Amino acid sequence: QNVVFDQMSANSTVKIFTVAGRWVKTLPAPSGYVPWDLTNDSGDKVASGLYLYLVTDGQGNKTRGKFSVIK
C-alpha cells in the first residue's frame, strides 16, 4: 500500500509528521509526484492514525493538510 502525493509543482518536497508534530519522513518529488510506502525515516512501518503533510515547492510556497492511515 502506498499513499501518492501528486499534481505538485516540480522540485517539491513533502514532509510528513504525526499529529503530535514528530517528523516521520521527507520525500523529494522532483517531478511533482511521489509515492510513500508508509514507512518512517528508519524504514519501519508507521502506525494507523492521523498524519500531517507539508508540501514545499521550488519557490518556497507551502501547502499543508492531513490524512489518515488505516490498516
Side-chain angles (χ1 to χ4, degrees), residues 8-31:
M8 298 178 292
S9 300
N11 300 316
S12 292
T13 302
V14 181
K15 290 186 181 180
I16 301 168
F17 300 90
T18 65
V19 286
R22 181 169 297 167
W23 171 72
V24 176
K25 195 163 191 176
T26 300
L27 304 168
S31 65

Side-chain angles (χ1 to χ4, degrees), residues 20-49:
R22 181 169 297 167
W23 171 72
V24 176
K25 195 163 191 176
T26 300
L27 304 168
S31 65
Y33 168 95
V34 65
W36 177 43
D37 59 3
L38 304 180
T39 60
N40 64 19
D41 198 53
S42 303
D44 301 318
K45 289 285 187 186
V46 299
S48 295

